[in-house]
Amino acid sequence: MSTASPPAQTAVPLPTDSTMLVDVDGLTRSFGTVHAVRDLSFAIPDGAVVGFIGANGAGKTTTMRIMATLDEPTDGAVRIAGHDVVERPAEVRRLVGWMPDSLGVYADMTVFEYLDFFARAYGFSPAQRRDRVDDVLHFADLGPLADRQMAKLSKGMSQRLCFGRMLIPDPRLMILDEPAAGLDPKARLEFKNLVRILAGRGKTLFISSHILTELGEMCDRLVFIDRGRLVFQGRADELKHDTAAGRVDTCVEVVVAGDAGALREWVETHAGWRWLDARPQGGRLACPAADDAGLAAALRQLVAGGIDVIEFRREQRRLEEAFVDMVKQLG
């Protein structure tokens, strides 16, 4: 897809004194007595792909809607490229693309007409509008659907159209709320490829999802929240390699000769060890080791305990496990 720019009057300069494109500072949003977001603070570097993780009701969509200027905070502030989302929403909207978790259907409107409508709304001239819509149709693989009515699109096609609409203004920051929800494996793979392409072009993406494994594959940074509060923000590899939050154990896969029951019984009776899940002829364990020397000592401990170990290897920690552990620590 080419990168045709929006009309000149929509250009918004980025700050030159910071590498952070987004600054969420003490964000709070209450609905009566319900606190959807509580004193939430995090930052998103320019050009990063950031995964936004939390259970249903954790405050993800509320936070993203405020970032997209679709809601206002009860307290705190959100600044995008230095622009406050409440005080300067017009400037923010010129920088932001928003992909909600569902697409509103316009009766009797085709895919092309829908994208063209939004290009008009963003102020493109007729020539610019046609070029921009063509670019989006090509990039999001919507060309074959250009003349199809929106009401006749499948879930996957609708998600692609919603994604395409987000791309119309060529935004600097893309905010995507559950973009892969309901997609089949092929469509999810195609979506991941599009994310990689956009990241390669220097775009900043902020993506919420319940499919944590896929977020780990796409994102270089993660933000975890629970009940509207920050649990973790940092690099994805900090969690995969157990270096976040002062963690001192390591995930390993152990394969044994014979019955794995003896391994599980041994783990459950030794402090510092935890059984994570079963594997053929063994299991995934959390062992008290923070480095190579600790791993070597852990293996010696297993063997000395009479466990017939035939394979022992370090594994990356699952994001689901990291999230659950951090929520437990938060209480």
Side-chain angles (χ1 to χ4, degrees):
M1 182 179 74
S2 64
T3 55
S5 299
Q9 66 267 26
T10 67
V12 178
L14 294 176
T16 58
D17 59 347
S18 174
T19 59
M20 294 297 169
L21 182 63
V22 178
D23 179 25
V24 177
D25 183 15
L27 181 65
T28 297
R29 181 65 170 104
S30 301
F31 299 91
T33 59
V34 177
H35 301 288
V37 182
R38 304 167 182 247
D39 193 27
L40 180 64
S41 297
F42 62 87
I44 301 176
D46 191 16
V49 180
V50 180
F52 195 30
I53 297 171
N56 288 332
K60 301 190 303 299
T61 296
T62 298
T63 301
M64 299 175 100
R65 285 177 53 83
I66 292 172
M67 292 170 62
T69 74
L70 299 174
D71 194 6
E72 294 188 359
T74 304
D75 198 5
V78 177
R79 289 175 289 273
I80 297 177
H83 303 296
D84 187 281
V85 298
V86 175
E87 296 176 356
R88 305 186 69 182
E91 287 85 349
V92 171
R93 288 168 189 156
R94 293 167 185 156
L95 289 169
V96 171
W98 163 244
M99 182 178 175
D101 60 355
S102 61
L103 175 68
V105 176
Y106 292 75
D108 302 322
M109 184 175 281
T110 67
V111 167
F112 178 87
E113 291 168 340
Y114 179 77
L115 295 176
D116 184 67
F117 169 80
F118 278 93
R120 287 172 183 263
Y122 278 108
F124 286 91
S125 70
Q128 289 176 319
R129 193 169 71 241
R130 180 71 201 205
D131 288 344
R132 191 64 193 149
V133 171
D134 285 346
D135 286 346
V136 170
L137 287 170
H138 174 71
F139 184 79
D141 196 23
L142 291 165
L145 307 175
D147 296 325
R148 186 174 298 189
Q149 290 185 350
M150 293 179 62
K152 297 182 179 178
L153 297 178
S154 68
K155 172 67 174 178
M157 294 172 183
S158 295
Q159 288 292 84
R160 267 194 284 156
L161 180 55
C162 195
F163 182 80
R165 184 192 67 182
M166 176 191 68
L167 297 175
I168 286 289
D170 195 20
R172 184 74 181 179
L173 169 67
M174 301 179 187
I175 303 172
L176 303 91
D177 191 7
E178 298 288 345
L183 298 185
D184 60 37
K186 179 177 181 292
R188 289 201 300 270
L189 180 60
E190 291 170 349
F191 171 72
K192 286 192 289 184
N193 290 336
L194 293 178
V195 168
R196 293 188 186 101
I197 293 170
L198 291 169
R201 295 178 178 178
K203 300 297 185 181
T204 303
L205 293 98
F206 189 57
I207 308 169
S208 78
S209 177
H210 288 106
I211 308 172
L212 303 193
T213 302
E214 291 192 347
L215 279 184
E217 294 172 354
M218 291 188 292
C219 302
D220 43 54
R221 297 178 67 87
L222 299 169
V223 174
F224 286 11
I225 64 170
D226 179 60
R227 289 170 288 178
R229 300 172 295 174
L230 181 70
V231 176
F232 169 82
Q233 66 169 323
R235 298 191 310 275
D237 58 6
E238 291 177 329
L239 295 175
K240 291 178 180 179
H241 296 97
D242 306 302
T243 59
R247 191 172 178 84
V248 294
D249 62 9
T250 297
C251 177
V252 295
E253 180 175 3
V254 178
V255 178
V256 299
D259 182 16
L263 172 65
R264 182 160 192 164
E265 181 179 348
W266 186 95
V267 168
E268 292 173 348
T269 57
H270 284 75
W273 290 80
R274 287 184 298 125
W275 182 270
L276 299 177
D277 56 60
R279 291 288 177 85
Q281 290 186 264
R284 289 180 70 249
L285 320 174
C287 73
D291 52 24
D292 290 346
L295 280 173
L299 175 57
R300 289 194 297 270
Q301 187 183 14
L302 275 172
V303 174
I307 305 300
D308 296 327
V309 178
I310 57 177
E311 289 186 34
F312 181 93
R313 58 178 174 272
R314 188 200 312 255
E315 281 200 346
Q316 289 186 345
R317 192 179 180 205
R318 293 176 179 172
L319 292 182
E320 292 89 345
E321 294 166 351
F323 178 69
V324 170
D325 284 350
M326 288 182 175
V327 168
K328 287 181 180 177
Q329 291 175 18
L330 187 64

